[in-house]
Amino acid sequence: MDKIKIAVLVSGGGTNLGALIEAERKGIIKSGEIKLVISNKVGAYALERAKNAGIEALTVTKADCGSQAEFEDRLISLLTSHGIELIVLAGFMSILSERFTKTFSDRIINVHPSLIPSFSGKGFYGLRVHEAALEYGVKVTGATVHYVNEVPDGGKIILQKSVAVKDTDTPEVLQRRVMEKAEWIILPKACEMVSKRLIIEKSHKC
Ligand code: GAR
């Protein structure tokens, strides 16, 4: 059976994309193959990571498309024309509409840098999540990989991993620890789990 064709959507540095590329190289992801990377930010370093790994890398911005609906139409058209079967949001900082999430129902996953439902939903992204965790004073935080539906950070949880918070942490230090000890581990794992599920579903259809 062919591997599941994966697209990774990014907006920034792409360390999670780097972890996915590495996991595919090591065989941790063996049921899927990263075929396409799309950034909604011009010049995102994630694009360089994709190109260095020989993966097709494209940029699609909302400004160029004119509206959220046209932006999503462009994404849908690219994902469909590339035969993409699984979409991974890896630091993708744009909320997708119900129309988009329904188009790829149970085929979009996202990594979030907290233990959902804490510090999640609209307005909680990137460093802000860690600022909020430190402000609240939690002693344990972590990361979550979940399916994406129309509710921001509201889809079914696939994997979570906890990380200790230290008294001396700054948001940047905590962000790095959560990435290293949680995100870069559970995102590739979840990617393999979902790819495997999709292969099994495909084989039942044959
Ligand atoms: C990661 O910490 C990811 O969990 C977070 O943005 C960072 C992207 O880093 N995503 C969100 O906050 C989404 N709600 P990266 O570009 O180095 O992978």
Side-chain angles (χ1 to χ4, degrees):
M1 182 67 77
D2 287 344
K3 291 187 179 191
I4 294 300
K5 294 187 183 69
I6 301 171
V8 185
L9 271 50
V10 296
S11 301
T15 64
N16 278 288
L17 170 66
L20 290 169
I21 292 170
E22 186 67 4
E24 192 183 324
R25 197 185 59 77
K26 286 185 179 160
I28 295 167
I29 297 174
K30 51 180 184 290
S31 307
E33 196 177 354
I34 305 168
K35 285 284 191 191
L36 179 65
V37 170
I38 304 178
S39 170
N40 68 335
K41 291 273 179 296
V42 176
Y45 185 67
L47 293 164
E48 294 307 310
R49 293 183 196 265
K51 284 180 204 154
N52 291 340
I55 301 165
E56 184 176 354
L58 304 172
T59 304
V60 179
T61 70
K62 209 184 293 187
D64 283 347
C65 296
S67 69
Q68 179 70 20
E70 283 164 298
F71 169 67
E72 291 184 3
D73 281 346
R74 179 82 187 120
L75 290 180
I76 292 170
S77 137
L78 283 168
L79 294 164
T80 310
S81 66
H82 283 74
I84 298 301
E85 299 165 286
L86 170 62
I87 300 162
V88 180
L89 309 184
F92 184 64
M93 304 301 185
S94 177
I95 291 179
L96 296 162
S97 73
E98 183 166 2
R99 187 173 63 98
F100 186 95
T101 59
K102 286 249 162 79
T103 305
F104 300 99
S105 180
D106 292 330
R107 288 168 177 269
I108 314 174
I109 66 173
N110 177 51
V111 61
H112 182 78
S114 76
L115 293 173
I116 289 176
S118 291
F119 314 115
S120 64
K122 207 163 180 275
F124 285 106
Y125 57 86
L127 207 56
R128 288 181 185 211
V129 176
H130 305 291
E131 284 166 356
L134 289 177
E135 207 169 289
Y136 197 96
V138 292
K139 300 298 174 200
V140 175
T141 185
T144 304
V145 180
H146 62 94
Y147 284 105
V148 175
N149 63 12
E150 67 282 4
V151 181
D153 298 327
K156 192 168 182 274
I157 290 172
I158 304 167
L159 287 175
Q160 289 190 304
K161 194 167 189 292
S162 63
V163 174
V165 179
K166 296 183 183 170
D167 291 345
T168 52
D169 277 344
T170 62
E172 291 78 6
V173 168
L174 184 57
Q175 179 181 50
R176 183 75 192 180
R177 189 178 316 115
V178 169
M179 283 176 159
E180 279 177 4
K181 297 211 182 294
E183 295 184 47
W184 301 343
I185 298 163
I186 62 171
L187 184 59
K189 255 194 198 168
C191 213
E192 173 57 22
M193 285 165 62
V194 177
S195 297
K196 222 172 172 176
R197 169 180 71 77
L198 293 173
I199 285 195
I200 292 167
E201 283 179 13
K202 239 182 10 179
S203 74
H204 287 162
K205 276 189 197 149
C206 293

